[in-house]
Amino acid sequence: MKEPQIIVIGNGMVGYKFCEKLRSKTSSFNLIVFGEEPRRAYDRVHLSEYFNGKTADDLSLSTENWYQEQNITLFLNNPVVKIDREQQKVYTGNGLDYTYDILVFATGSGAFVPNIPGIEKEGVFVYRTIEDLDLISAYAKKAKTASVIGGGLLGLEAAKALIDLGIDKTNIIEFAPRLMPRQIDAAGSDMLKSKLTDLGLQIHLNKNTSNIEGEGKITALKFSDDTSLEADMLVISAGIKPRDELAKACGIEVGARGGIVVDEKMQTSDPAIFAIGECALFEGMIYGLVAPGYEMAEVLATNLCAGNKSFSSFDMSTKLKLIGIDVASFGDNFITEPDCRTIIFENKHKGVYKRINVSNDGQYLLGGILIGDASAYNMLLQTAINKIALPEDPEELILGARGGSEPAGAGITSLPDSALICSCEGVSKGDICASVTDGGCENIDDVKKCTKAGTGCGGCMPMVKDLLNHTLKSQGKYIKNVICEHFNYSRQELYDLIHIHELKSYDEVLTALGENDGCEVCKPLVSSILASLWNEMILKKGNDVAQDSNDRFLANIQKGGSYSVVPRIPGGEITPEKLIVIGEVAKKYNLYTKITGGQRIDLFGAHLNDLPVIWEELIAAGFESGHAYGKGLRTVKSCVGSTWCRFGLHDSVSFAIRIEERYRGIRAPHKFKSAVSGCIRECAEAQSKDFGIIATEKGWNLYVCGNGGSKPQHALLLATDLDSETCIKYIDRFLMFYIRTADPLTRTATWLNKMEGGIDYLRNVIVNDSLGMAKQWEHEIEKLISSYKCEWKEAVENPAIRKRFSHFVNAPEEKDPSIEFVEMRGQKRTAEWKIV
Amino acid sequence: MTESTNNWLAACRVEDAVENGGVCVKHGEEQIALFYFTRRNEWYATQNECPHKKQMALSRGMIGSITDEPKVACPFHKKTFSLNTGECLSGDECAIKTYPVKVENGTVYVGTVPKS
């Protein structure tokens, strides 16, 4: 059977949201979208950020492939020009026609342009699309004075944009006696006006523009009170006009003042045609905000998938920051006495105005207005919507409790699970909490991904964050950055304290800085710091028992209780003689051999008792520890490079060996790996390493903070065309910065992901020495490098340490009889877990 | 079980034990982990096998405390067990046997009959 075909006219925020919601519910329906603008749907709410350096791409709501991935056909720059309802066909600007089963109007709105004589003159603009912004920005270059008609939300945004464009004299003309007449009252408007005036904006209220003067292009505005105002350009932002002309032309019912009439199912007078967003007229009202538009999209998408949802009147509360000034209104903001009791707080010195309307019985909050400080907006809105009983002194809601007690209102905990936190996406408190408790979300990004909360206007983010932290805490999951119950410090703090106090053993550290007896969390962490700081033999008496499982016996404990042995093979280069030694040792001690991912050889299945003798033989043949067991440098992988390869630019093997020998044995918060490629073909896969080096014509490119593993991440370019010495200097600094500041068991990629400012900040620190730490770090790492010793050599030569490599204290010669091996492909392997 | 009726196995000399760590004691076919919690000046003994994956490993684990409860963490998957009661502290439904320990004249003895 052929899928029913849905055609969406309009690719704005609501049209896009409809597609997203529909596709999240079903993959059936052929979905075709026609957009008039040349680009994919973008965030019109934050349009003015386009002037603050955001690009059209940043504002885009989807990625380039999204429509294709979702199996949606998207036509841009291709408006629908005619609809034939009888044939159920749309005709497009490029002369094609398409049949629909269901037609959705998401045509949005255009700017309302009042019919003022001279409005067609050059220098008059509207403020609606990215193209409008491009035009305004180009024209502003030659303008000294500008005016905005409209003192509403969008008009103020436009005025801000003009200031950002460098026009000093910007005027705001408003027909009504106050600014933002839909949101705030006269007193609030006064406060806002005085703040905007401070910023250099001229505000003219009660002004009716009668003419736009100028020869061909605008030079001045004339008003009905016979005053006038110079203006090199004019931005009209006097409201919106629903885009209903197509609907009107094909005979669908529209409102007298515009808007496509819809019922609570978003259905128009034609049952096959629906309208959503700012073009839809519901119960005589156009909803000019994104949240109700999204709700309409949700209603329609649900009903098309055989659900049953209805649209009902929508809360029009808003909060925004205008030129740095908080403005918010919520609930019933204009209700006055005697229908309510009003509490007003005004501080002209600070430019703060707050008004709340409380029910006559003092029980509930009905609505309010906030200017200058809207930090309480989310709580107040929730208190009003959810009819949460007010405290005895409701004034505390806007003044804060005095006398040092907790702020009234009990905060987010008092909200019911049904409380709507993100109205753009319709996400409730319960949804957000569940994403943490059941969905495993542990940070704000997870929650955003999982619930979509905060992905619309973003206004609810502080509340989402509070809910996240609160829920994590109540689960005992909250990660206050301390190590464990024994140390009330972060790793970085502990690192500095151990350094300052020159503590050398775990016990000293615990006694000096911690409490109680320690545990399996702080022991390896402190041991790692001690190793990073002093580079002493990690099994020195007292420190051996504070090492993690693998470090404790300088080998990786494997399933069954045997260990594996990995000698270092720097750069992956090995002589035939050494290969033979590895083979002989493996045969003698019956070890399974395998080539590792890091270009060396792993010998598995060694008994604890055999480790010292195995290593004695390897060391005698010139091998040393490979530190495969430690949180430190693993391998520096290399391609064969210019010595053999016909493409090679430099000798990648020699450089890899130099790097590996330089950093071997240095311990860090987590393991780290490296690679060197001799040319851009990148055979050593350097871009998947904690630091990777790729030869260029002029030197080396240095990449940092990549890793494979469960969440692969490419390394990022830190610096280009370096000579070998500079490259090493940067790596020195990079490693010390990482060792000093990373959280425990954090790979470099995650470390960078958490770093404020990201790679640019890191580059500044490493290359430009913005912290002034470079000399110290270079000195510190030099100390670590010069104190390197093979710890296996030390272990086999020290009788006290060697004594620990036996399984039974009362039968030192006997090996663990419980270890079992089975045969596979001519070698041994460990027996399966005895329990599953 | 009173002390007099237990069978005491001479496990090792005090200086052979690992301070703030464990050693493994062979008792016929059995393996017993013996811990010298020097920091608390206490001795503990438990079965050496971790019940989680049946690995002979607890004597190689790190010891420590949670609030005031002494514990050992298995080196394989960091399951932790109370050294006092043998109860699993990582939320699993398994427990380990614990044994009495005494020190006389520098020799450490483990009672080979588990505490109840």
Side-chain angles (χ1 to χ4, degrees), chain A residues 710-747:
Chain A
S710 61
K711 239 181 108 214
Q713 185 168 327
H714 277 139
L716 298 173
L717 186 60
L718 185 81
T720 53
D721 297 327
L722 305 170
D723 59 68
S724 300
E725 302 313 312
T726 310
C727 187
I728 282 174
K729 191 167 75 182
Y730 288 171
I731 299 168
D732 283 356
R733 296 173 182 179
F734 167 73
L735 287 177
M736 281 315 295
F737 188 30
Y738 166 62
I739 288 169
R740 286 187 71 125
T741 61
D743 283 335
L745 300 178
T746 301
R747 290 288 297 270

Side-chain angles (χ1 to χ4, degrees), chain A residues 554 615 619 625 789-798:
Chain A
L554 305 178
W615 273 106
I619 289 165
S625 168
K789 285 185 194 134
C790 170
E791 54 203 15
W792 259 116
K793 187 160 186 290
E794 286 183 280
V796 296
E797 286 170 357
N798 181 328

Side-chain angles (χ1 to χ4, degrees), chain B residues 3-62:
Chain B
E3 196 180 294
S4 57
T5 56
N6 212 319
N7 303 314
W8 292 100
L9 167 73
C12 62
R13 302 286 301 166
V14 169
E15 59 269 24
D16 291 332
V18 173
E19 287 190 14
N20 290 309
V23 291
C24 177
V25 180
K26 183 177 160 71
H27 175 241
E29 297 300 297
E30 255 186 298
Q31 299 191 15
I32 296 173
L34 171 68
F35 301 97
Y36 182 15
F37 212 140
T38 328
R39 217 183 149 76
R40 298 164 69 111
N41 198 23
E42 288 166 352
W43 291 84
Y44 297 98
T46 70
Q47 68 185 56
N48 192 33
E49 186 183 77
C50 174
H52 171 224
K53 292 282 183 185
K54 300 235 181 284
Q55 301 286 305
M56 285 297 182
L58 291 179
S59 61
R60 300 179 200 172
M62 278 177 270

Side-chain angles (χ1 to χ4, degrees), chain A residues 485-486 510 516-518 520 523 545 548-549 558 560 563 803-804 807 809-810 814 816 818 833 835, chain B residues 11 16 18-20 24-26 31 39-40 52-53 55-56 60 63-65 67 71 75-76 78 80:
Chain A
E485 65 177 63
H486 306 108
L510 184 58
N516 257 323
D517 309 308
E520 72 282 359
K523 282 187 171 182
V545 288
D548 213 342
S549 316
Q558 305 291 350
Y563 287 84
K803 182 176 160 191
R804 295 302 165 204
H807 184 65
V809 69
N810 53 348
E814 253 180 78
D816 180 359
S818 73
W833 298 116
I835 190 169
Chain B
D16 291 332
V18 173
E19 287 190 14
N20 290 309
C24 177
V25 180
K26 183 177 160 71
Q31 299 191 15
R39 217 183 149 76
R40 298 164 69 111
H52 171 224
K53 292 282 183 185
Q55 301 286 305
M56 285 297 182
R60 300 179 200 172
I63 59 172
S65 65
T67 57
K71 63 170 182 174
F76 275 89
K78 300 276 158 46
T80 54

Side-chain angles (χ1 to χ4, degrees), chain A residues 501-512:
Chain A
H501 295 288
E502 293 190 38
L503 304 172
K504 299 284 174 78
S505 73
Y506 174 77
D507 251 18
E508 279 175 42
V509 175
L510 184 58
T511 306

